[in-house]
Amino acid sequence: MKRILLRSGKSPFDVLPIEEALHRDVIATNSGNLIFSDAAHKILTTPGAEVVSNGMRTDVAAAGRINEEYDAFVVPLANAFRPSFEGSLKRLTRFIGKLRIPVVVLGVGAQAGLDQDPARLKAMEPTVRAFCSAVLERSASIGVRGEFTEKYLTGMGFRDVEVIGCPSMFLHGDRLTVEKRAESLTPQSRIAVNGSHAAVRSGACTGSSRGPTRTIRTCGT
């Protein structure tokens, strides 16, 4: 049986009290992380594979044991190419650099504003290059969230980049069913937008669009 080490806060089969989940930070400061990590766990769970959560640990000293005990390291990510995540990305790169097993990245994304200008990512470009190089030494390609991230990486010279979207799109199999309850949106439509408290407080939600009766705000990602 193949053993797969998955970068995730916890197994979706582990039910934790809220206090313990917060203390261990199994959501990595954002409960939305559970959606795509649980999806990756489910996708990889087959009769011939055992999937083990690493609890978000990137202990370089454990790399030797991991090389012996696991057949692959799978890394589902979200908007990891952003300045506030650079420290974590460096630690992850150092850890991957010690692995001899295949490393598979699922759905990594680059975060920019509504204008999709990657200028804010320029300072961390060496970190992104190091991460992608380490992964591609152990993988055939890197799976990214969308065309913007694909263009960002190909602009740095990487060619083995595939747009696969977010793993959560495949939580219920290879068919994503979308049921539309209305034929179209109108000025009277009720719109719900989800955003973190930190983003709202910091004013990161910009680009408001006002209609006759509604105000819609979107967060740059």
Side-chain angles (χ1 to χ4, degrees), residues 79 81 109-116 120 148-149 194 204 218-221:
N79 51 336
F81 298 155
Q111 179 170 311
L114 295 177
D115 57 1
Q116 294 194 339
R120 69 190 296 266
F148 172 73
T149 306
N194 183 39
T218 56
C219 295
T221 59

Side-chain angles (χ1 to χ4, degrees), residues 5-209:
L5 185 64
L6 180 70
R7 181 186 182 272
S8 64
K10 71 176 188 66
S11 164
F13 303 109
D14 293 338
V15 179
L16 303 177
I18 294 176
E19 294 79 6
E20 182 180 353
L22 293 175
H23 178 71
R24 289 170 48 189
D25 193 22
V26 297
I27 63 174
T29 73
N30 184 341
S31 60
N33 289 327
L34 293 179
I35 299 175
F36 65 81
S37 63
D38 284 5
H41 197 116
K42 182 177 179 180
I43 292 168
L44 296 168
T45 301
T46 63
E50 177 189 5
V51 183
V52 179
S53 170
N54 76 339
M56 294 293 189
R57 290 183 291 273
T58 51
D59 183 6
V60 172
R65 175 183 60 80
I66 290 169
N67 286 326
E68 295 296 327
E69 296 181 3
Y70 294 93
D71 296 284
F73 179 44
V74 178
V75 189
L77 291 168
N79 51 336
F81 298 155
R82 69 182 192 275
S84 62
F85 194 75
E86 186 173 11
S88 298
L89 197 63
K90 286 181 177 179
R91 288 191 293 274
L92 187 56
T93 302
R94 287 194 294 269
F95 175 69
I96 291 173
K98 297 295 183 180
L99 297 180
R100 299 192 305 272
I101 57 178
V103 175
V104 181
V105 170
L106 304 177
V108 66
Q111 179 170 311
L114 295 177
D115 57 1
Q116 294 194 339
D117 183 358
R120 69 190 296 266
L121 304 176
K122 187 66 177 178
M124 67 176 297
E125 187 172 302
T127 301
V128 175
R129 284 183 179 275
F131 172 77
C132 292
S133 297
V135 170
L136 288 173
E137 287 175 2
R138 298 160 178 83
S139 181
S141 64
I142 292 180
V144 300
R145 293 228 162 185
E147 289 78 8
F148 172 73
T149 306
E150 179 188 33
K151 183 178 179 181
Y152 172 64
L153 294 183
T154 55
M156 287 194 284
F158 294 104
R159 293 292 174 262
D160 299 316
V161 181
E162 296 184 63
V163 177
I164 63 172
C166 177
S168 63
M169 296 175 66
F170 307 102
L171 180 61
H172 301 295
D174 61 354
R175 296 290 184 271
L176 178 63
T177 302
V178 178
E179 296 182 2
K180 295 185 178 182
R181 299 182 179 180
E183 292 184 2
S184 62
L185 296 179
T186 70
Q188 286 70 43
S189 298
R190 301 183 65 187
I191 308 298
V193 177
N194 183 39
S196 68
H197 293 294
V200 174
R201 286 198 301 268
S202 68
C205 291
T206 58
S208 62
S209 175

